[in-house]
Amino acid sequence: MNKFDFYRESNKSNLIQLCPVAILLNGVGFSRLKYGSQFDQKFHAIMENCAEYMMNQIEANFVWIHQDKMLFLFKNSLRSNFSTIFDSSVADLNLKIAAICSSYFNLVNKPEDFDQIPIFSCQSWNLPTAGEVIDYISLLEHMAAREAIYRLGESVIGNEVFQCQPTEVISQLAAAGYNWEELAPAFKSGTWIQKTNNGFNAFSMPLVEIENKEDFIFNGKNPKKIVRVTPEGV
C-alpha cells in the first residue's frame, strides 16, 4: 500500500475540516468507449459538462478530468453552503455525491450509447498538506498517460499490447501510423477546469509543466508554464 492508498483508507468516519479534501468520481458502465474514436471526443465534452455541473453543486473551484474520472479538490472542507454535506459521514458523503453525478449524467445523455446504465462511484478523503495534493495529482497524471497508451494500443493493435512496456506500445503505434506525441494532451494527462467569477476555464497542461502548482490548484491563478533554459553548447 502506498501512502496515497493509506490516506484514502484512513478516512472512515468524517473528514478533517482543516486538511485538503479530494473527491474522486469513477465512471461505471462506460466499457463501450473506444480510445481515440469519434465518440471518445464526444465523451470528453460530456465529462467536461458534467464536471462543471458538479462544481456548481458541491461548490468546487477545481477539478481534474481524464476519461471517466473526475477529481475535485478543496483546500479544506470549511465550505459555506456545502458544509452541511461535508459534515456527513464519509460513507453518506460518497453516496450523495455519486447520486447527484449519476442522475445528472443520465439526464443529459442517451443510455443506449453505453453498455449499461452509466453510474459513478465516489471516494472522499483527506490529504495532509497541499504538497501531498500536488504529489498525488502528479501520480494520477502519470497513471493516466500510461492508461492512455494501453487503451489506444488496444484499440489499434489488440490485447497483446498489455504484454509490452509503454515505450514498446508507442513504437508499435508509430508503425501503425499513430503518433503518440500528436495526441491531444487532454487524452494523455487529462484536463483541468477552474471555476471563476466569469465561468469556467479549461487547461490541458500536465502539472509537471506548471510552475505555480499550489496557486493554480487552490487559489484560482492561471498556470505558468515552466521555462526550461538549455545551457549554451548543449
Side-chain angles (χ1 to χ4, degrees), residues 79-137:
R79 311 294 296 177
S80 54
N81 297 328
F82 193 55
S83 59
T84 54
I85 299 183
F86 269 127
D87 288 340
S88 305
S89 69
V90 169
D92 285 346
L93 175 67
N94 291 341
L95 286 173
K96 291 173 183 175
I97 294 178
I100 293 170
C101 188
S102 300
S103 297
Y104 178 77
F105 191 93
N106 285 287
L107 180 66
V108 298
N109 298 292
K110 297 179 180 179
E112 60 265 26
D113 284 337
F114 302 90
D115 290 335
Q116 60 192 51
I117 295 177
I119 60 173
F120 288 87
S121 64
C122 180
Q123 291 179 294
S124 308
W125 68 98
N126 287 116
L127 289 157
T129 65
E132 293 282 37
V133 172
I134 291 169
D135 288 346
Y136 178 61
I137 297 171

Side-chain angles (χ1 to χ4, degrees), residues 53-71:
Y53 174 81
M54 290 302 298
M55 291 173 85
N56 286 329
Q57 292 298 307
I58 64 176
E59 294 189 4
N61 293 322
F62 196 85
V63 63
W64 172 79
I65 306 170
H66 185 256
Q67 288 299 104
D68 58 358
K69 298 179 180 66
M70 291 183 280
L71 177 70

